[in-house]
Amino acid sequence: MTVGIRTLWYLTPADGRYPWSPGGLHPFDADRYAELARTIDRGGFHGALVATWPNDPFVSAGFAAAQTRRMKFLVAVYARMIPARLLAEKALAFDAFSGGRLLINAVNGRDNILARYDMDTEHDERYELGRDYWKRFRELYAEGADSNFPNTPLRLEPTRPDGVPIWGAGDSAAGLENSGHVLDTYLTMMRDPGFLREKFDAARASAAAQRRELTGFGALAGVITRRTGAEALERFRSLFEETGVERITEVLDRAVRRRTHGRQDLATFTARDAQRQGWVDSLLAGRIPEPADLVIGDGLYAGITAWSPLDIFATGSSAVYFVGTPDRIAGVVSDVRERTGLTDLILAGWPLAAEAEVVAEHLLPRFAEL
């Protein structure tokens, strides 16, 4: 039986019409965050990816779970950052209070983030150590949790016999190998179907080697859908215009300096292909690239998000957007599903609550029929 695309939204306090710029970012507001969660819940989304900075995702998800009834919460967890037993206890408690609505996003982590927590392990070694961590977590969740006080024999039993589903990404060879050992749903950033198929097949093969089977294959992307294609493109264009060429150039210049450890800046940077070099040249000349120049695939555009600048590095970015009418986007997603086995989408658009309502009304019914 054909099952539609499961669609998740972003749940984060970093919200606004263009929150990657100081003038477009709302101040922290717990009520706004709660209303966003309720909007996602009412809209019929499968759930939400709980973004972190600077909020703790478990605390944020617990707060949002109290405001909702059915949506699931995909919570980011860095392996080994807290003891596996403590994570199992947190997961048991979250599921007990929410009715089994926890999903875990297993994050391998970036060096600059993990260094803040005195976790200086090399990239590939983090995956190797993480396998034992996630194995132990599953065992401890299945055991349940007993009270520390013998005169009060209260227990938390696992809400789900199969445990908490673990989702996660990993495009590198080590990440793909890890997927077969650890994950239930494999994630990557939305790119062309050929790229997705290659990654999905590699994750499938890794799982098969472990005599396991992945249950889902997902991609992360932005989305802008409107009644007409022209209206969708105009909103997409406005993301760049409202941000301004100076701000975009500043963010990318910092990104280049960070990635090259100060050896290059945007002016001396050379992109991997002519299209991306064209974006850089336009920005350095004080011009915003036209939407037609940002097309990177059928119905896919290179954009900007609250956590990812325009992808001039061609290394994969969640700043890839679906842009178009509902029928057009549904057709693109249907094609991607047929060609790759896509089962899940994690989408975002800004401001988050307003765009979630548009997607819930116009795209979710179409995705459900795919």
Side-chain angles (χ1 to χ4, degrees):
M1 181 178 67
T2 300
V3 178
I5 297 290
R6 295 184 298 188
T7 308
L8 290 78
W9 198 246
Y10 268 87
L11 180 60
T12 172
D15 197 4
R17 187 168 170 83
Y18 46 109
W20 41 87
S21 292
L25 176 66
H26 293 318
F28 180 86
D29 187 326
D31 290 338
R32 181 184 291 113
Y33 189 82
E35 182 53 33
L36 171 59
R38 289 190 290 265
T39 299
I40 295 167
D41 198 49
R42 290 193 304 265
F45 289 88
H46 181 71
L49 174 60
V50 183
T52 52
W53 22 239
N55 51 295
D56 177 271
F58 252 105
V59 173
S60 303
F63 171 74
Q67 317 290 323
T68 58
R69 291 293 175 266
R70 49 157 303 281
M71 64 179 286
K72 298 184 185 300
F73 296 88
L74 181 56
V75 176
V77 177
Y78 292 85
R80 304 180 299 118
M81 189 170 288
I82 63 173
R85 181 175 297 278
L86 177 57
L87 178 61
E89 291 170 352
K90 288 162 71 76
L92 286 161
F94 191 102
D95 272 350
F97 281 104
S98 70
R101 292 191 281 148
L102 177 65
L103 307 171
I104 285 180
N105 179 24
V107 182
N108 194 46
R110 295 180 180 177
D111 293 342
N112 63 321
I113 295 175
L114 293 178
R116 295 165 55 190
Y117 300 95
D118 298 322
M119 297 176 64
D120 299 324
T121 313
E122 292 294 325
H123 177 273
D124 290 4
E125 187 181 0
R126 290 201 292 267
Y127 281 122
E128 295 172 8
L129 294 173
R131 290 175 196 169
D132 290 336
Y133 179 87
W134 291 115
K135 180 175 182 288
R136 184 62 176 150
F137 163 75
R138 282 191 160 109
E139 292 170 349
L140 291 167
Y141 180 91
E143 289 178 6
D146 291 302
S147 169
N148 291 323
F149 303 98
N151 59 327
T152 54
L154 184 67
R155 270 185 57 80
L156 285 179
E157 299 287 354
T159 303
R160 291 166 288 184
D162 294 335
V164 179
I166 298 178
W167 299 33
D171 283 352
S172 68
L176 288 164
E177 172 66 18
N178 181 71
S179 300
H181 290 265
V182 170
L183 303 182
D184 298 300
T185 293
Y186 172 78
L187 299 172
T188 189
M189 302 302 181
M190 175 58 66
R191 276 166 276 180
D192 67 89
F195 176 91
L196 293 187
R197 181 58 185 261
E198 176 186 341
K199 297 302 180 183
F200 289 176
D201 282 351
R204 286 188 187 96
S206 176
Q210 303 304 317
R211 298 183 179 180
R212 298 180 66 242
E213 184 175 350
L214 296 176
T215 58
F217 299 88
L220 293 78
V223 62
I224 296 176
T225 189
R226 295 293 188 268
R227 183 178 56 87
T228 68
E231 289 173 325
L233 282 173
E234 184 58 31
R235 172 56 185 154
F236 178 70
R237 181 198 301 270
S238 76
L239 300 182
F240 291 85
E241 292 177 341
E242 292 180 356
T243 304
V245 66
E246 291 183 1
R247 174 63 178 174
I248 297 170
T249 302
E250 175 190 348
V251 169
L252 289 175
D253 184 68
R254 287 204 307 266
V256 170
R257 292 173 187 271
R258 183 175 63 252
R259 288 185 178 225
T260 64
H261 304 287
R263 292 188 297 271
Q264 288 183 295
D265 58 18
L266 189 61
T268 60
F269 171 77
T270 301
R272 295 186 180 184
D273 57 67
Q275 183 185 31
R276 286 171 171 80
Q277 188 61 47
W279 305 341
V280 173
D281 293 342
S282 292
L283 292 168
L284 291 174
R287 300 189 307 270
I288 291 174
E290 291 295 321
D293 299 325
L294 296 167
V295 176
I296 56 173
D298 188 17
L300 298 176
Y301 292 75
I304 48 180
T305 71
W307 50 87
S308 182
L310 186 66
D311 183 21
I312 62 173
F313 305 102
T315 55
S317 165
S318 57
V320 171
Y321 277 74
F322 294 103
V323 181
T325 65
D327 286 340
R328 170 66 171 153
I329 292 175
V332 171
V333 172
S334 178
D335 179 64
V336 172
R337 176 187 174 118
E338 183 176 343
R339 294 169 63 182
T340 69
L342 180 80
T343 60
D344 298 271
L345 281 174
I346 301 176
L347 300 175
W350 288 268
L352 285 164
E355 291 299 314
E357 290 179 342
V358 174
V359 169
E361 180 178 358
H362 298 290
L363 283 180
L364 292 192
R366 289 168 168 85
F367 289 169
E369 295 173 356
L370 297 181

